[in-house]
Amino acid sequence: MNKFELLGLNDALLQAIKDMGFESPSEVQEKAIPILLQEDTDMVALAQTGTGKTAAFGFPLIQKIDVNSRKTQGLILSPTRELCLQITNELKNYSKYFKGLNTVAIYGGASITDQAAQIKKGAQIIVATPGRMQDMVNRRLVDISAIQYCILDEADEMLNMGFYEDITEILSHTPKEKSTWLFSATMPKEVSTIAKKFMRTPVEITVGTKNMGTSNVSHEYYVVNARDRYAALKRLSDANPDIFSVVFCRTKRDTQKVAEQLIEDGYNAAALHGDLSQNQRDLVMKSFRARQIQMLVATDVAARGIDVDDITHVINYQLPDEIETYTHRSGRTGRAGKSGVSMVIVSKSEARKIKGIERIIGQAFERKDIPDGREICEVQLFHLANEISKTEINHEIDKYLPSIAELFEGLTKEELLKKFFSVEFTRFFNYYNNAQDLNAKGSTEVYEDEGDSTRFFINVGAKDDFDWMSLKDFLKATLDLGRDDVNRVEVKDSFSFFNVDSSKAEEVIKIFQDFKHNGRHINVEITKKSAGKERSGGRKGGGGFKGRDKGERSFDKPSRSGDKGRRRSSDAPTGGRRRSSDAGSGGRQGKKSGGRSSSIESSIKRRRSKK
Ligand code: ADP
Ligand code: MG
């Protein structure tokens, strides 16, 4: 027996659940669904973003609706248009085997007449944003006088956005005898006020700890000089070639500025803020969902309720004014059981705010260094190698092979590989060759300097089922080191980095000299000088990565490696860029184009595996 069956759901729902590929209920679903099915009760359910709250109220709601009546029986209020559409979509999926069940979305920025017409046809469930709902109630375009179920979804965000009055107003038009279900990620004062005011002895369900940040999100911060913020952002992106991120800025102006700069520098970026029209915002979100945008630069208000799975990184380009807002930002990643990273770029004077955030999220931050040029080149090189090795051969090439082969006659495999990789690598190398150290010098007030440690490269990564924790454990065991002796473990797809105290560096190399793990040869190398030395002694020496790059900001980019959208790149070699501004970002189109930006990667068919 499947675990969903045990919750008391009927066959029509179980079939839909099976179709969607859900294997077992999440914790909030397991706790909420049986109660909501069996009793007519009010409920307050607290669970992190991405824990499956929609189904936790959606399944019981659908099962309880009387499809033979065309009356509106259930009302779901949700903070944003995006969420509203997302919930409606989910509910339609859940209820596909319920003949005659209609779910209608009501939200601002679209024709009110169309929405009213849809309601008139009969909508047992309405999913609405508070503003538009109130408008329609006032104009008597909806009748919610007989609803039995009222759901306040993402209640904390609705209140954050100032919908308290609208909600109160809407609820005053609903019958006293009904069940109210409140779902929220956090429980600030305002939410308990609402609960007290509108609910009668609600059943309380809490998943995880109240107010905690999502626990599969790791939190990192980077200390830079304020003028290096933008350059740092680019490095963080370049060091994570598969990044799919939301970048938070404090103001609309900064949001627009950073997005424009990124687009100009060749990244797949776009802006999302309140000065864009609804239509423009829709286009941006559509491109983002389709992964045509890798970096969505957004204000807090515009990003509320962004409900996109698989976001790999949240980047706090600037910290929010209210540190409580940080939880909402970081909750955009690490959804649906996946892991995510929330990065904060701070100046020295802001660094002490980190402690305050740690208290709120109940989780520690890790201080990290902005990667240097060499590290980024390495990451990009191995990323490319990995992509190439995964690429399926396109046999359309076969017929051209003889002439191509002629061109490379007499080259050894090694020479050929070197040439091949130089196409991409040289671009990054040239760009980062003179890149300066962006990490702010001197100690900050938050944490002690790391001291004299050595950074290592190791040729195992996520592909070998390591995450930073398991790799750290593996290293600690293998090297016979203590809890704090291995640090700054950073796991990439097919390789990783870690730091060990420099006094033990030789030993590390020795231990890994002839080492096999699961039958595979493990290769460990020193990548760069100690972080401690860099910080006190100024710029690094050696390796050709020395000196200063004045032009990092305006310098022609190393173009973004592509994304899914690049598949269509045959008709648009610099496609990612153009699409970004088409998508209504309002950003200028990149001026620099042509030869240098065409990359090997853009011609590789990229398949980003979703799971
Ligand atoms: P929340 O509202 O708590 O932020 P959602 O309801 O939006 O989270 O769910 C997040 C994602 O997880 C959605 O893509 C949803 O389809 C998926 N999901 C929900 N429940 C399950 C489940 N039991 N098994 C697998 N995936 C699920
Ligand atoms: Mg939700």
Side-chain angles (χ1 to χ4, degrees), residues 116-342:
Q118 275 186 295
I119 299 273
K120 225 172 165 181
K121 281 194 244 158
Q124 291 96 341
I125 301 176
I126 293 178
V127 189
T129 53
R132 173 56 64 97
M133 189 64 200
Q134 221 219 309
D135 200 6
M136 292 189 71
V137 169
N138 288 343
R139 296 204 216 173
R140 299 180 190 283
L141 296 172
V142 287
D143 176 13
I144 48 171
S145 63
I147 62 163
Q148 290 166 279
Y149 307 99
C150 178
I151 293 134
L152 305 173
D153 190 27
E154 315 272 350
D156 52 353
E157 297 208 0
M158 282 202 284
L159 296 171
N160 257 337
M161 290 171 75
F163 282 135
Y164 180 85
E165 257 121 55
D166 297 79
I167 294 171
T168 315
E169 180 73 30
I170 292 164
L171 291 182
S172 74
H173 292 271
T174 62
K176 264 213 155 73
E177 289 300 319
K178 65 171 184 301
S179 303
T180 305
W181 306 341
L182 184 153
F183 282 76
S184 187
T186 59
M187 186 75 173
K189 255 205 329 280
E190 296 81 356
V191 174
S192 37
T193 310
I194 280 260
K196 278 199 200 94
K197 186 158 178 189
F198 295 105
M199 301 169 92
R200 279 166 301 180
T201 53
V203 178
E204 268 197 56
I205 283 179
T206 306
V207 171
T209 319
K210 281 185 194 180
N211 269 335
M212 287 256 293
T214 322
S215 59
N216 45 353
V217 176
S218 52
H219 303 264
E220 305 174 348
Y221 73 101
Y222 298 82
V223 186
V224 302
N225 292 316
R227 62 165 192 280
D228 290 330
R229 229 179 254 280
Y230 178 74
L233 173 66
K234 275 178 33 167
R235 291 236 192 136
L236 291 174
S237 170
D238 288 340
N240 294 281
D242 274 331
I243 198 164
F244 180 53
S245 63
V246 183
V247 179
F248 283 97
C249 295
R250 217 166 359 216
T251 65
K252 293 181 207 170
R253 219 172 126 234
D254 288 341
T255 302
Q256 184 67 26
K257 220 169 68 188
V258 170
E260 281 181 20
Q261 190 71 49
L262 285 170
I263 292 164
E264 189 165 330
D265 287 345
Y267 295 79
N268 294 319
L272 188 73
H273 55 67
D275 282 353
L276 302 176
S277 71
Q278 187 65 56
N279 195 32
Q280 283 173 319
R281 273 190 280 170
D282 285 349
L283 281 168
V284 170
M285 282 312 296
K286 205 171 148 214
S287 315
F288 187 54
R289 286 213 169 82
R291 307 287 193 278
Q292 284 153 4
I293 290 166
Q294 281 185 290
M295 302 178 80
L296 181 68
V297 191
T299 57
D300 286 297
V301 173
R304 285 264 157 74
I306 285 184
D307 213 1
V308 177
D309 290 341
D310 299 334
I311 289 173
T312 59
H313 294 76
V314 162
I315 302 180
N316 294 266
Y317 184 76
Q318 295 150 333
L319 276 175
D321 288 327
E322 310 246 328
I323 50 178
E324 284 78 11
T325 308
Y326 180 83
T327 321
H328 294 289
R329 291 182 172 188
S330 60
R332 299 297 149 229
T333 184
R335 297 172 57 82
K338 302 204 179 81
S339 62
V341 183
S342 176

